Amino acid sequence: MPDEDMLLIRNYDLWCHLSDDEYKELKVQHHVIDVPKGEYIYFEAYNLNKIYFVKEGYIKIGFIDNEGREKVKEIIQKGELFGQFSLERNNLHGEFAQAYKNDVSLCAFTIDDFEKLLKNRPDLALKYSKQVGAKLRHIENRLLNLLNKDVKTRLIHFLWQLVEQNLGENTAEGFCMPNYLTHEDIAGLIGSSRQTVTTMINELETEGILSYNRQEICFLDVKKLQKKVEGN
């Protein structure tokens, strides 16, 4: 196995304690995929039985509605998983996954290969189940917010999720992260319009909570944003 592929998968906390033999069982060298910007990893998938891990880049997950319009479900980044992450089969229901913003590098495994590994490593299975549980809770929270919260509250909760994803690498006082989200992206993810999102982000900038431009999103006052989340 090429050293670079072994290093690729060992970047994930999920894999950091696997033996060399277990790495070989995953057949990583056959499942490293580089996808150019804009190309689809899969499109309108129904019978796709693979699980993917993002090494570098951003992935747009969505579907095409009955009117032929693109609907974005989520935009995921380095270290996250997608595809048949619940290890079910044939349940993506027309979902697509597209390389977004730039070229991406992925690791892809068949469900069969991955399940064999989980059977041999109960500790890995437990860690994986926790990651899947966290991802499902994230999806559930987004749905509840769409059903029960107003647009401003949904935006605040969405921004707080970005904070939680990045606080491990930054401080609670304030930090900046690369911006991979346009106002239109955010609008689609929280069920709003681009114009409304632009207005509300401008208000948060005026309050000194964040600074937003094409290159980065800076959370200038994390505590103030947290108070808004707790108040909603």
Side-chain angles (χ1 to χ4, degrees):
M1 178 190 302
D3 289 344
E4 61 189 47
D5 292 340
M6 186 177 290
L7 288 173
L8 180 155
I9 197 153
R10 278 183 170 158
N11 284 331
Y12 298 106
D13 178 61
L14 188 67
W15 316 109
C16 61
H17 297 300
L18 294 185
S19 68
D20 290 350
D21 287 341
E22 286 165 331
Y23 281 114
K24 291 177 183 178
E25 287 181 20
L26 280 172
K27 303 176 183 178
V28 177
Q29 68 272 32
H30 299 300
H31 298 291
V32 176
I33 304 172
D34 293 315
V35 184
K37 173 184 175 181
E39 289 199 8
Y40 289 92
I41 296 93
Y42 53 83
F43 185 77
E44 292 195 346
Y46 289 92
N47 299 310
L48 183 72
N49 291 313
K50 288 186 178 180
I51 181 171
Y52 298 86
F53 294 84
V54 185
K55 178 194 173 189
E56 294 290 346
Y58 304 99
I59 305 293
K60 179 164 65 174
I61 306 293
F63 64 95
I64 306 299
D65 68 14
N66 292 333
E67 284 72 42
R69 295 173 296 192
E70 179 183 281
K71 297 294 184 180
V72 179
K73 294 165 60 177
E74 60 179 330
I75 297 173
I76 63 177
Q77 56 185 310
K78 178 179 177 179
E80 295 190 70
L81 53 92
F82 66 100
Q84 297 285 18
F85 64 86
S86 64
L87 303 185
E88 298 178 75
R89 285 165 170 76
N90 307 325
N91 72 335
L92 290 182
H93 307 304
E95 178 180 286
F96 71 76
Q98 182 184 25
Y100 191 55
K101 300 294 184 183
N102 45 34
D103 299 347
V104 301
S105 183
L106 309 169
C107 239
F109 306 108
T110 65
I111 291 179
D112 288 339
D113 284 342
F114 193 61
E115 284 183 335
K116 288 177 185 176
L117 180 64
L118 295 183
K119 288 177 182 178
N120 293 329
R121 288 290 301 269
D123 59 324
L124 182 68
L126 179 60
K127 187 181 288 187
Y128 182 73
S129 68
K130 289 180 178 179
Q131 289 195 5
V132 172
K135 187 174 181 67
L136 292 175
R137 284 193 298 275
H138 172 74
I139 294 171
E140 182 181 13
N141 288 337
R142 278 191 55 211
L143 177 59
L144 288 173
N145 284 338
L146 283 171
L147 293 173
N148 301 314
K149 305 292 185 180
D150 59 41
V151 174
K152 187 169 186 177
T153 301
R154 297 202 297 267
L155 175 62
I156 290 169
H157 280 263
F158 177 80
L159 293 172
W160 184 248
Q161 287 175 351
L162 294 181
V163 170
E164 291 182 317
Q165 290 171 1
N166 289 274
L167 268 184
E169 301 174 3
N170 298 282
T171 72
E173 297 303 319
F175 65 89
C176 296
M177 57 172 279
N179 185 7
Y180 59 95
L181 296 161
T182 65
H183 288 188
E184 188 169 354
D185 292 333
I186 297 172
L189 291 168
I190 68 171
S192 181
S193 68
R194 182 186 60 79
Q195 293 88 345
T196 299
V197 167
T198 298
T199 298
M200 291 189 295
I201 286 178
N202 289 341
E203 290 176 0
L204 293 172
E205 287 186 306
T206 300
E207 293 179 50
I209 292 175
L210 61 79
S211 173
Y212 178 105
N213 59 52
R214 291 184 179 180
Q215 287 71 43
E216 60 184 10
I217 302 173
C218 292
F219 293 94
L220 307 176
D221 195 327
V222 173
K223 292 180 180 179
K224 187 180 289 187
L225 180 61
Q226 185 176 13
K227 288 181 180 178
K228 283 185 173 290
V229 172
E230 293 170 349
N232 292 280

